Amino acid sequence: MPQVPKPEVRDAFVDAAARAFAELGFAATSMADVAARADSSVGNLYKYFSSKQELFDAAVPAELVQELTRLTRARIRALGAAKDVRELHEGARYQALAGELLDYCLAHRAAVVVVLTRAEGTPFSSFSEQFVRQLCDWALDYARVAYPGLKPNRAFSFVLERAYRVFVAGVAEILQRFSDDAEARRIIAL
């Protein structure tokens, strides 16, 4: 009688794969690494996933990237023309969306780390660069509303791009280094 796939075993493989991809990257992660992290065997892993790419697709689904982008864009749009986020009231849409975005990143921390910093060799290899460009574009859209007299030049664009590149890498590092959600929240808030 054939073995019936168990959802909890599949989930353990997906979780282990996401963590391995976040730590080692796609190319350096083997099916044996994933099986060991899931406290199982490679043979059992292949009963659930026929290839590393199939496993990656389950651990870092395209919908995750779409949702991360959507939540980030919504948060920036919610800022409106406010010049200082500290002056927004606690129940402001911006604050709610900031919390929703952070909750999403924490709930999917390993997959978010992968797409932000460890996606080489995957369909998301260019996501981080594209995301930084989008953040710059969204920031400039915001600045045109909040600071109508601002005339961005090459130097401004250069600094903005570098700031977002460091920000994206920093968020990924925090998600990876600080496993306690409360601690990660405090550090990201800084």
Side-chain angles (χ1 to χ4, degrees):
M1 183 167 180
Q3 181 181 359
V4 176
K6 297 177 181 123
E8 64 275 7
V9 173
R10 183 186 187 285
D11 291 347
F13 284 135
V14 169
D15 179 63
R19 288 183 286 112
F21 294 137
E23 183 182 327
L24 305 170
F26 179 77
T29 298
S30 69
M31 295 295 265
D33 293 326
V34 174
R37 286 173 189 249
D39 292 324
S40 190
S41 68
V42 174
N44 197 30
L45 175 57
Y46 275 107
K47 291 176 184 173
Y48 289 84
F49 298 96
S50 63
S51 68
K52 186 165 74 167
Q53 184 61 55
E54 184 182 339
L55 182 56
F56 180 85
D57 293 342
V60 187
E63 298 79 22
L64 176 126
V65 171
Q66 294 164 354
E67 186 65 0
L68 179 62
T69 303
R70 184 194 71 75
L71 288 169
T72 304
R73 179 64 176 131
R75 179 185 182 197
I76 294 170
R77 279 189 174 152
L79 191 54
K83 291 186 169 94
D84 188 343
V85 297
R86 295 170 298 184
E87 293 177 4
L88 295 172
H89 63 87
E90 194 172 315
R93 179 154 172 71
Y94 175 85
Q95 304 295 11
L97 288 168
E100 189 178 334
L101 175 59
L102 184 51
D103 289 347
Y104 188 79
C105 289
L106 291 171
H108 305 282
R109 66 170 62 228
V112 170
V113 169
V114 171
V115 299
L116 294 182
T117 61
R118 302 299 299 223
E120 52 284 329
T122 76
F124 305 119
S125 60
S126 63
F127 174 76
S128 186
E129 286 297 315
Q130 292 170 351
F131 193 54
V132 167
R133 280 194 300 277
Q134 286 178 311
L135 286 167
C136 291
D137 290 344
W138 297 335
L140 289 171
D141 289 345
Y142 157 76
R144 286 182 191 100
V145 173
Y147 303 94
L150 180 69
K151 303 283 186 230
N153 57 25
R154 252 181 66 191
F156 181 87
S157 296
F158 174 82
V159 170
L160 186 63
E161 183 267 333
R162 290 296 180 264
Y164 276 121
R165 187 178 307 276
V166 169
F167 171 74
V168 166
V171 167
E173 186 174 356
I174 292 165
L175 290 173
Q176 189 150 19
R177 272 189 170 192
F178 300 95
S179 59
D180 179 73
D181 286 355
E183 186 176 24
R185 286 176 190 282
R186 282 191 304 276
I187 294 168
I188 289 173
L190 293 174

mmCIF file of all heavy atoms in Angstrom, residues 82 84-96:
data_model
loop_
_atom_site.group_PDB
_atom_site.id
_atom_site.type_symbol
_atom_site.label_atom_id
_atom_site.label_comp_id
_atom_site.label_asym_id
_atom_site.label_seq_id
_atom_site.Cartn_x
_atom_site.Cartn_y
_atom_site.Cartn_z
ATOM 1 N N ALA A 82 2.567 63.618 4.300
ATOM 2 C CA ALA A 82 3.150 63.774 5.636
ATOM 3 C C ALA A 82 4.664 63.869 5.530
ATOM 4 O O ALA A 82 5.293 63.102 4.804
ATOM 5 C CB ALA A 82 2.758 62.602 6.521
ATOM 6 N N ASP A 84 6.704 63.880 8.353
ATOM 7 C CA ASP A 84 7.339 63.212 9.487
ATOM 8 C C ASP A 84 6.408 62.110 9.984
ATOM 9 O O ASP A 84 5.357 62.396 10.552
ATOM 10 C CB ASP A 84 7.625 64.224 10.602
ATOM 11 C CG ASP A 84 8.462 63.648 11.730
ATOM 12 O OD1 ASP A 84 8.562 62.403 11.846
ATOM 13 O OD2 ASP A 84 9.009 64.448 12.503
ATOM 14 N N VAL A 85 6.790 60.860 9.772
ATOM 15 C CA VAL A 85 5.927 59.737 10.163
ATOM 16 C C VAL A 85 5.673 59.715 11.660
ATOM 17 O O VAL A 85 4.658 59.194 12.099
ATOM 18 C CB VAL A 85 6.487 58.374 9.709
ATOM 19 C CG1 VAL A 85 6.554 58.290 8.206
ATOM 20 C CG2 VAL A 85 7.829 58.082 10.322
ATOM 21 N N ARG A 86 6.569 60.307 12.432
ATOM 22 C CA ARG A 86 6.388 60.327 13.881
ATOM 23 C C ARG A 86 5.198 61.197 14.287
ATOM 24 O O ARG A 86 4.680 61.064 15.386
ATOM 25 C CB ARG A 86 7.655 60.821 14.571
ATOM 26 C CG ARG A 86 8.841 59.869 14.379
ATOM 27 C CD ARG A 86 10.108 60.473 14.838
ATOM 28 N NE ARG A 86 10.360 61.663 14.009
ATOM 29 C CZ ARG A 86 11.451 62.406 14.083
ATOM 30 N NH1 ARG A 86 12.385 62.110 14.950
ATOM 31 N NH2 ARG A 86 11.618 63.442 13.301
ATOM 32 N N GLU A 87 4.762 62.077 13.400
ATOM 33 C CA GLU A 87 3.634 62.954 13.705
ATOM 34 C C GLU A 87 2.285 62.347 13.321
ATOM 35 O O GLU A 87 1.241 62.896 13.647
ATOM 36 C CB GLU A 87 3.821 64.305 13.008
ATOM 37 C CG GLU A 87 4.997 65.075 13.579
ATOM 38 C CD GLU A 87 5.252 66.387 12.854
ATOM 39 O OE1 GLU A 87 4.472 66.740 11.949
ATOM 40 O OE2 GLU A 87 6.245 67.052 13.208
ATOM 41 N N LEU A 88 2.317 61.210 12.641
ATOM 42 C CA LEU A 88 1.068 60.530 12.280
ATOM 43 C C LEU A 88 0.486 59.874 13.527
ATOM 44 O O LEU A 88 1.225 59.305 14.334
ATOM 45 C CB LEU A 88 1.317 59.474 11.207
ATOM 46 C CG LEU A 88 1.785 59.987 9.849
ATOM 47 C CD1 LEU A 88 2.168 58.821 8.951
ATOM 48 C CD2 LEU A 88 0.708 60.837 9.191
ATOM 49 N N HIS A 89 -0.832 59.922 13.670
ATOM 50 C CA HIS A 89 -1.442 59.292 14.835
ATOM 51 C C HIS A 89 -1.330 57.777 14.732
ATOM 52 O O HIS A 89 -1.174 57.217 13.647
ATOM 53 C CB HIS A 89 -2.898 59.756 15.018
ATOM 54 C CG HIS A 89 -3.802 59.368 13.888
ATOM 55 N ND1 HIS A 89 -4.437 58.162 13.841
ATOM 56 C CD2 HIS A 89 -4.168 60.035 12.766
ATOM 57 C CE1 HIS A 89 -5.161 58.086 12.734
ATOM 58 N NE2 HIS A 89 -5.013 59.212 12.067
ATOM 59 N N GLU A 90 -1.395 57.139 15.871
ATOM 60 C CA GLU A 90 -1.157 55.694 15.949
ATOM 61 C C GLU A 90 -2.089 54.881 15.051
ATOM 62 O O GLU A 90 -1.704 53.855 14.528
ATOM 63 C CB GLU A 90 -1.284 55.223 17.399
ATOM 64 C CG GLU A 90 -0.733 53.840 17.612
ATOM 65 C CD GLU A 90 -0.698 53.467 19.071
ATOM 66 O OE1 GLU A 90 -0.272 54.300 19.890
ATOM 67 O OE2 GLU A 90 -1.127 52.342 19.379
ATOM 68 N N GLY A 91 -3.301 55.333 14.861
ATOM 69 C CA GLY A 91 -4.258 54.593 14.036
ATOM 70 C C GLY A 91 -4.245 54.978 12.572
ATOM 71 O O GLY A 91 -5.095 54.522 11.803
ATOM 72 N N ALA A 92 -3.284 55.781 12.153
ATOM 73 C CA ALA A 92 -3.215 56.210 10.752
ATOM 74 C C ALA A 92 -3.047 55.007 9.834
ATOM 75 O O ALA A 92 -2.452 53.997 10.211
ATOM 76 C CB ALA A 92 -2.062 57.184 10.563
ATOM 77 N N ARG A 93 -3.573 55.124 8.629
ATOM 78 C CA ARG A 93 -3.469 54.031 7.646
ATOM 79 C C ARG A 93 -2.003 53.646 7.424
ATOM 80 O O ARG A 93 -1.676 52.471 7.292
ATOM 81 C CB ARG A 93 -4.138 54.438 6.334
ATOM 82 C CG ARG A 93 -4.048 53.373 5.258
ATOM 83 C CD ARG A 93 -5.178 53.468 4.254
ATOM 84 N NE ARG A 93 -5.000 52.575 3.129
ATOM 85 C CZ ARG A 93 -5.099 51.261 3.161
ATOM 86 N NH1 ARG A 93 -5.401 50.655 4.289
ATOM 87 N NH2 ARG A 93 -4.930 50.525 2.076
ATOM 88 N N TYR A 94 -1.134 54.623 7.376
ATOM 89 C CA TYR A 94 0.291 54.348 7.195
ATOM 90 C C TYR A 94 0.798 53.418 8.302
ATOM 91 O O TYR A 94 1.502 52.445 8.030
ATOM 92 C CB TYR A 94 1.087 55.661 7.200
ATOM 93 C CG TYR A 94 2.579 55.445 7.137
ATOM 94 C CD1 TYR A 94 3.221 55.265 5.916
ATOM 95 C CD2 TYR A 94 3.343 55.407 8.301
ATOM 96 C CE1 TYR A 94 4.579 55.059 5.857
ATOM 97 C CE2 TYR A 94 4.713 55.192 8.250
ATOM 98 C CZ TYR A 94 5.329 55.023 7.026
ATOM 99 O OH TYR A 94 6.680 54.796 6.972
ATOM 100 N N GLN A 95 0.437 53.718 9.542
ATOM 101 C CA GLN A 95 0.886 52.899 10.667
ATOM 102 C C GLN A 95 0.311 51.485 10.586
ATOM 103 O O GLN A 95 1.012 50.507 10.851
ATOM 104 C CB GLN A 95 0.493 53.548 12.005
ATOM 105 C CG GLN A 95 0.983 54.960 12.189
ATOM 106 C CD GLN A 95 2.501 55.089 12.262
ATOM 107 O OE1 GLN A 95 3.234 54.167 11.990
ATOM 108 N NE2 GLN A 95 2.957 56.269 12.633
ATOM 109 N N ALA A 96 -0.954 51.393 10.211
ATOM 110 C CA ALA A 96 -1.580 50.068 10.080
ATOM 111 C C ALA A 96 -0.888 49.248 8.992
ATOM 112 O O ALA A 96 -0.612 48.057 9.179
ATOM 113 C CB ALA A 96 -3.068 50.218 9.775
#
